[in-house]
């Protein structure tokens, strides 16, 4: 399947598209934009960045998962955003680069025909197909109480689900049939011929009421750029990422040769610079394609020297280890998926790594598993949305561990402000030598306590030892040599709800349940308490 990634306000969209293409070279990268005034300009930038599909999403419709208060009056009708996007892409000579898609409560073949005439080639459906499967739009998807068994893990409720794939197929056949009927009336044979044909649309006369008569639709219907260039997607004009010139395909994979397909252990050396983006990502995608997650750790070890570019080691899977003697730019280890990343300063560097920036902002953003050992300070938003990776670093900037939901993070130094904001899972250990962490901690969701439990102290020591072994960190070795003196200076940060869930799971495991059974029972037990 194509990569799926939810963009964040701090992420470079062009870099994200490049990273996703490296993660799956056969994928069409699609970018969803909400219909709003000015969306055409954003769509033009998306097309220039290499996306192959631009989705203009209207304010209406959806799956019913969001409450009404969250979706009403958010954005504009898809007709407005779609028309603007189509015209702007034509104006800038970009229309043939991308497929334009739209969604937002398309309910009939007539809706599809109008969307096509305003500039769309593909069409998204959610509300109507869900209804054909039995959804009654209760909007309680997040509560696990769906009365018709569509959005629930409760086995008793799932028994009520009566939908069949044939129902959706039948509905889509009706949509296609009605679309063909409208196309036949207009004298159009294919969808491509219908794209952008606003000359086939006209304002209804007389208007349904006096207010409707005041609406000016000329900006939508009178496209000044019609005929200015190709009006629909042409595969010939698709963006060329030139991935064949990446170090992964020019250097790493040729050097690995048959070892890559055989899964045989190999160690390579590589000189990198800041112009080399997403180093290791294409290699990682091929490792996953060939071996899944079956390879042992460190099967392929790449020793890099120099400056790591954007997204160094993005989406790195299990079996691949990247070691970097130097420093790295933003997004290091983005989406880390089981691999290992080690970064340390050049040997003989005169500066103190614990007091200098080693990697840029947003390192380990969205990591799901794997390990990272960074012998130096990371920039802002370290481990944002980490859901399972283990990381050791010697200092972080503002907003560290923001929205973290899992994993382990050890910070052997100071943090910036707003640490642990929105952190709902995982554990962070922070060395609080100045005893002022509480001034920079976001206390809304987490508790801060000394490391007093024996298993916590053992876990902390083990992680610091692994960091020292991987990076040769002088600070880590000093802490290990005086661990009993440093242990009282560490603070353990644990989300309240996460702590309660862990205790509930342990309670059910003590009663003889398996880990998976205990997790399910703990979820329902805590859900009931929250409801009460």
């Amino acid at each position: 399947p194509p990569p799926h990634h939810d963009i964040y306000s701090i992420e470079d969209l062009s870099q994200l598209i490049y990273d996703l293409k490296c993660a799956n070279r056969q994928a069409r990268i699609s970018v969803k934009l909400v219909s709003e005034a000015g969306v055409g300009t954003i769509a033009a930038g998306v097309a220039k960045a290499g996306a192959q599909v631009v989705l203009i999403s209207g304010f209406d419709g959806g799956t019913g998962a969001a409450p009404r208060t969250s979706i009403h009056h958010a954005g504009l009708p898809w007709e407005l955003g779609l028309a603007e996007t189509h015209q702007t892409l034509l104006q800038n000579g970009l229309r043939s680069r991308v497929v334009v898609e739209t969604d937002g409560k398309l309910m009939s073949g007539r809706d599809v025909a109008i969307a096509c005439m305003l500039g769309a080639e593909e069409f998204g459906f959610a509300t109507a197909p869900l209804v054909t499967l039995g959804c009654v739009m209760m909007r309680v998807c997040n509560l696990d109480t769906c009365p018709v068994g569509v959005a629930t893990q409760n086995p008793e409720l799932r028994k009520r689900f009566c939908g069949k794939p044939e129902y959706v197929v039948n509905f889509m056949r009706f949509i296609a049939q009605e679309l063909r009927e409208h196309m036949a009336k207009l004298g159009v044979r294919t969808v491509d011929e219908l794209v952008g044909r606003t000359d086939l649309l006209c304002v209804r006369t007389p208007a349904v009421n006096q207010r409707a008569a005041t609406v000016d639709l000329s900006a939508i219907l009178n496209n000044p750029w019609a005929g200015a260039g190709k009006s629909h997607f042409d595969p010939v004009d698709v963006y060329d990422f030139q991935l064949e010139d990446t170090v992964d395909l020019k250097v790493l994979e040729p050097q690995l040769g048959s070892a890559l397909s055989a899964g045989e252990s190999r160690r390579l050396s590589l000189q990198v610079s800041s112009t080399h983006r997403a180093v290791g990502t294409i290699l990682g995608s091929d490792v996953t394609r060939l071996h899944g997650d079956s390879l042992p750790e460190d099967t392929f070890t790449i020793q890099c020297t120099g400056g790591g570019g954007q997204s160094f080691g993005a989406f790195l899977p299990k079996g691949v280890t990247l070691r970097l003697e130097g420093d790295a730019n933003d997004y290091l280890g983005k989406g880390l998926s089981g691999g290992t990343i080690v970064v340390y300063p050049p040997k003989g560097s005169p500066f103190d790594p614990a007091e200098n920036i080693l990697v840029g902002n947003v390192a380990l953003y969205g990591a799901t598993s794997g390990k990272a050992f960074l012998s130096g300070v990371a920039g802002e938003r370290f481990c944002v949305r980490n859901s399972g990776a283990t990381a050791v670093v010697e200092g972080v900037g503002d907003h560290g561990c923001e929205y973290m939901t899992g994993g382990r993070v050890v910070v052997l130094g100071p943090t910036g402000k707003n640490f642990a904001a929105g952190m709902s899972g995982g554990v962070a250990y922070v060395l609080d030598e100045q005893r002022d962490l509480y001034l920079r901690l976001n206390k809304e969701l987490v508790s801060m306590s000394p490391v007093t439990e024996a298993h916590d102290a053992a876990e902390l020591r083990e992680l610091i030892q692994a960091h020292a072994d991987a990076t040769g960190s002088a600070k880590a070795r000093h802490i290990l040599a005086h661990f009993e003196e440093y242990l009282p200076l560490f603070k353990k940060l644990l989300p309240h709800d996460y702590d309660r869930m862990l205790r509930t799971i342990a309670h059910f495991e003590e009663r003889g349940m398996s880990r998976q059974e205990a997790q399910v029972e703990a979820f329902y037990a805590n859900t009931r308490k929250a409801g009460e």
Side-chain angles (χ1 to χ4, degrees):
H4 179 83
H5 200 296
D6 205 7
I7 194 168
Y8 192 52
S9 59
I10 52 177
E11 191 160 21
D12 181 318
L13 180 55
S14 176
Q15 181 64 41
L16 170 60
I17 293 170
Y18 181 84
D19 296 341
L20 293 177
K21 194 65 179 179
C22 289
N24 186 343
R25 303 195 293 284
Q26 286 71 48
R28 295 194 316 167
I29 308 303
S30 175
V31 177
K32 177 178 180 178
L33 303 174
V34 174
S35 176
E36 289 186 322
V39 69
T41 302
I42 308 302
V46 167
K48 290 178 181 178
Q52 197 168 329
V53 181
V54 176
L55 167 59
I56 304 300
S57 190
F59 76 102
D60 203 1
T63 61
R68 288 180 177 85
T69 53
S70 296
I71 59 177
H72 279 195
H73 314 298
L76 298 175
W78 56 260
E79 292 91 340
L80 297 176
L82 175 59
E84 180 185 334
T85 295
H86 179 66
Q87 293 180 25
T88 304
L89 291 174
L90 276 174
Q91 178 184 358
N92 290 276
L94 299 168
R95 182 62 186 84
S96 60
R97 275 196 188 186
V98 294
V99 173
V100 176
E101 181 184 346
T102 194
D103 68 18
K105 212 165 190 178
L106 299 175
M107 302 293 284
S108 65
R110 179 178 180 274
D111 291 341
V112 174
I114 293 173
C116 192
M117 286 184 272
L118 290 177
E121 296 151 297
E122 294 186 0
F123 318 93
F125 295 83
T127 303
L130 266 178
V131 171
T132 68
L133 292 172
C135 176
V136 292
M137 289 290 165
M138 287 290 289
R139 300 189 183 278
V140 291
C141 308
N142 60 311
L143 300 179
D144 199 49
T145 59
C146 177
V148 290
V150 174
T152 177
Q153 296 301 314
N154 188 320
E156 293 304 314
L157 293 176
R158 293 181 74 172
K159 290 177 183 177
R160 302 180 186 179
F161 180 69
C162 58
K164 295 181 180 179
E166 292 79 7
Y167 298 164
V168 178
V169 171
N170 197 41
F171 168 76
M172 298 307 295
R173 287 187 183 277
F174 279 127
I175 293 289
Q177 179 179 336
E178 186 182 353
L179 174 61
R180 294 295 309 175
E181 291 172 356
H182 284 292
M183 291 170 61
K185 291 178 182 178
L186 295 169
V188 177
R189 294 180 61 85
T190 67
V191 169
D192 281 350
E193 294 175 32
L194 192 60
V195 174
R197 291 290 304 275
T198 52
D199 59 295
L200 299 176
L201 289 169
C202 60
V203 180
R204 177 183 294 173
T205 55
V208 293
N209 56 47
Q210 185 176 0
R211 184 171 183 179
T214 65
V215 177
D216 181 7
L217 297 177
S218 60
I220 295 177
L221 301 181
N222 302 328
N223 181 2
W225 307 103
K230 296 179 182 178
S231 62
H232 58 79
F233 174 69
D234 186 343
V236 174
D237 297 330
V238 70
Y239 184 84
D240 183 6
F241 288 89
Q242 299 180 337
L243 298 183
E244 65 277 2
D245 293 331
T246 60
V247 294
D248 288 56
L249 293 182
K250 286 187 71 173
V251 181
L252 295 182
E253 294 200 0
Q255 288 190 17
L256 287 173
S258 60
L260 176 59
S261 55
E264 298 173 353
S265 180
R266 287 289 187 277
R267 185 182 181 93
L268 302 178
S269 296
L270 177 69
Q271 188 76 29
V272 296
S273 75
S274 59
T275 60
H276 297 143
R277 299 188 293 163
V279 172
T281 301
I282 293 178
L283 171 62
S285 72
D286 288 333
V287 167
T288 300
R289 178 176 54 83
L290 293 169
H291 305 289
D293 61 353
S294 63
L295 293 183
E297 292 185 4
D298 305 328
T299 299
F300 303 120
T301 299
I302 316 299
Q303 177 65 55
C304 302
T305 306
Q310 301 280 76
S311 301
F312 183 87
F315 307 113
L316 202 67
K318 182 182 177 185
V320 183
T321 296
L322 291 183
R323 296 179 57 85
L324 173 61
E325 183 178 346
D327 55 17
N329 284 358
D330 297 344
Y331 315 124
L332 175 135
K334 174 200 297 184
L336 185 67
S337 301
T340 301
I341 297 177
V342 179
V343 186
Y344 53 91
K347 293 181 174 63
S349 298
F351 59 84
D352 182 0
E355 297 181 359
N356 288 271
I357 299 292
L358 183 74
V359 301
N361 300 321
V362 212
L364 301 177
Y365 168 46
T368 61
S369 56
K371 303 172 186 175
F373 302 104
L374 312 177
S375 182
V377 180
E380 296 185 5
R381 288 190 157 93
F382 181 77
C383 270
V384 170
R385 289 185 174 174
N386 174 32
S387 62
T390 297
V392 184
V393 65
E394 299 182 9
V396 298
D398 296 343
H399 316 293
C401 296
E402 188 177 28
Y403 304 137
M404 188 165 128
T405 61
R408 295 290 186 273
V409 171
V410 178
V411 182
L412 303 178
T415 73
K417 64 184 179 182
N418 202 36
F419 190 83
M423 179 179 169
S424 60
V427 179
Y429 299 101
V430 180
L431 179 59
D432 186 19
E433 291 186 273
Q434 304 302 318
R435 302 183 187 276
D436 58 356
L437 174 62
Y438 72 97
L439 295 174
R440 298 183 300 280
L441 179 67
N442 188 311
K443 308 174 186 66
E444 184 177 2
L445 297 182
V446 302
S447 62
M448 183 177 76
S449 62
V451 181
T452 55
E453 299 289 341
H455 66 274
D456 288 337
E459 178 182 53
L460 176 60
R461 184 167 196 156
E462 181 180 342
L463 290 173
I464 299 174
Q465 183 66 61
H467 178 67
D469 294 341
T471 67
S473 167
K475 184 166 189 177
R477 295 192 186 283
H478 179 75
I479 292 173
L480 289 170
H482 305 85
F483 189 72
E484 298 305 321
E485 299 172 25
Y486 273 94
L487 185 60
L489 301 177
F490 278 95
K491 297 295 189 300
K492 178 183 178 181
L493 307 180
L494 186 66
H496 305 302
D497 292 342
Y498 185 71
D499 182 30
R500 183 169 64 251
M501 183 64 75
L502 290 178
R503 294 178 185 275
T504 309
I505 291 172
H507 169 71
F508 284 115
E509 284 183 322
E510 290 173 358
R511 295 170 58 179
M513 293 186 182
S514 67
R515 181 72 175 182
Q516 186 173 2
E517 291 173 336
Q519 289 174 343
V520 173
E521 288 300 319
F523 169 77
Y524 287 117
N526 284 288
T527 300
R528 286 193 293 270
K529 288 180 182 178
E532 294 170 358

